[in-house]
Amino acid sequence: MTKLQLLNVLFYIVCNLVFSQNKDSSIYFPQEQIVLKSCSNATDPNECLVTYFQKLVSRKLHEKKYLKLISKQKKDTVYVGARLLFNPEQTIDKESSRSWVSGKKLSAKLDKELDVIFLQPAIKKIINQKTPLESFHNFSFKYFIRKSGKEITLLYIPKEKKYTGGEILNAPIFPGCENLINKEARKCFNDQMQKHIAHHFRYPKKAQQMSIQGKVSIIFNINVDGTISNIRTKGPHKILEEEAVRIVKLLPKLKPGLVNGKSTPIPFSIPITFKLQ
């Protein structure tokens, strides 16, 4: 490869993991609970917390400027959600937490205001284990869009499965990171993943000749036995996608992730940017 073909490969690990809930199999009791100041005397602090978020979200969505955007959507529902990560110091990790709303135009206008709702609650205390760990708390709200002439209202659709507390996450562990926990374990995982990609990366010659570059998004499952499966890609060209898949398939066997103490398949997302200079 000549100097003119020098490559600059950028990559990072997305730590906002998405995984299935399995409350019944939890070995942690109680699961971590967020107790708001306004819910300190509530019979059910979990239900009080969800109601608190739901009322604020409903009030925000019913503002005239947002109803106007919602009325232009083709779908008959609006979804709002949040995934909050609490660190062992019992504060929200704002860099790893996020909120969202369905619809690109609505999201562009509303995302920052949703962050204020979800990332700045007035918390009195966190009920957790004697040894605090990181915990994820997932919230989602669904609204049916009802139109009557020029009038539009949003009807909240309650979830069948109630929120019962946070999920304790022990993220998958890369070989060499076994004695670390929480942020140190995540950083070690990211560092080792970056080293793996850099070591095995080969810019396809055909892609160089065709001046193909761009970002490939890869999603794969880390299974309960530490193996990798169900690799999916989305990128500017099949040639780059195939290279990304090849790199992921070379990953060593990992220690599986745990959710509430149980080995759980965990999807990971890795964007890899191929850039020719």
Side-chain angles (χ1 to χ4, degrees), residues 29-269:
F29 185 83
Q31 289 176 283
E32 290 209 339
Q33 293 180 309
I34 304 169
V35 181
L36 295 179
K37 291 180 180 179
S38 59
C39 297
S40 57
N41 296 321
T43 304
D44 186 343
N46 288 328
E47 184 178 354
C48 183
L49 174 65
V50 173
T51 301
Y52 167 83
F53 282 141
Q54 188 267 319
K55 285 182 178 180
L56 290 180
V57 168
S58 294
R59 189 182 306 162
K60 184 60 62 177
L61 290 177
H62 276 92
E63 290 183 13
K64 188 174 181 180
K65 57 184 176 181
Y66 298 129
L67 281 178
K68 186 176 181 180
L69 288 174
I70 292 171
S71 67
K72 296 179 180 180
Q73 293 186 174
K74 294 181 180 180
K75 295 183 178 180
D76 61 359
T77 53
V78 175
Y79 293 87
V80 174
R83 182 170 177 78
L84 309 182
L85 170 63
F86 279 77
N87 56 42
E89 292 72 39
Q90 301 189 354
T91 58
I92 295 178
D93 185 332
K94 294 184 179 181
E95 291 185 1
S96 299
S97 300
R98 64 190 182 99
S99 61
W100 63 89
V101 62
S102 59
K104 290 184 178 180
K105 292 184 178 180
L106 190 59
S107 177
K109 297 289 185 179
L110 192 54
D111 276 357
K112 289 184 179 180
E113 296 198 48
L114 289 177
D115 282 346
V116 174
I117 291 175
F118 288 108
L119 303 186
Q120 300 180 26
I123 298 172
K124 180 179 180 180
K125 61 181 177 179
I126 304 291
I127 301 175
N128 56 16
Q129 302 181 98
K130 291 182 180 179
T131 303
L133 297 171
E134 291 179 339
S135 64
F136 283 93
H137 299 256
N138 299 293
F139 303 93
S140 62
F141 305 97
K142 181 180 179 181
Y143 296 86
F144 174 72
I145 304 172
R146 185 171 65 183
K147 298 179 181 179
S148 178
K150 293 184 178 181
E151 294 294 323
I152 179 172
T153 55
L154 303 176
L155 302 179
Y156 173 58
I157 304 173
K159 291 182 64 176
E160 292 184 6
K161 191 170 185 178
K162 292 186 177 181
Y163 164 79
T164 58
E167 295 177 322
I168 305 299
L169 171 66
N170 298 94
I173 297 177
F174 214 100
C177 305
E178 289 83 0
N179 297 321
L180 303 174
I181 62 172
N182 298 325
K183 289 185 178 180
E184 291 78 12
R186 287 213 313 271
K187 183 179 184 303
C188 185
F189 187 102
N190 292 353
D191 290 345
Q192 293 300 320
M193 182 67 76
Q194 291 175 12
K195 289 179 181 178
H196 172 86
I197 295 174
H199 178 72
H200 293 284
F201 181 85
R202 301 290 184 273
Y203 208 115
K205 290 184 179 180
K206 192 171 182 180
Q208 295 178 43
Q209 295 169 356
M210 298 172 64
S211 298
I212 298 173
Q213 57 184 345
K215 183 175 71 174
V216 176
S217 298
I218 316 163
I219 299 176
F220 57 90
N221 289 349
I222 299 176
N223 302 316
V224 295
D225 61 355
T227 59
I228 304 300
S229 69
N230 195 21
I231 303 173
R232 291 92 75 198
T233 61
K234 184 177 181 181
H237 198 282
K238 187 177 180 180
I239 295 175
L240 300 185
E241 292 182 22
E242 289 175 348
E243 170 60 14
V245 169
R246 185 188 69 81
I247 294 172
V248 170
K249 285 184 175 181
L250 291 174
L251 281 168
K253 191 172 184 179
L254 308 172
K255 184 176 179 180
L258 305 177
V259 177
N260 291 336
K262 183 178 180 180
S263 296
T264 304
I266 296 181
F268 254 87
S269 175

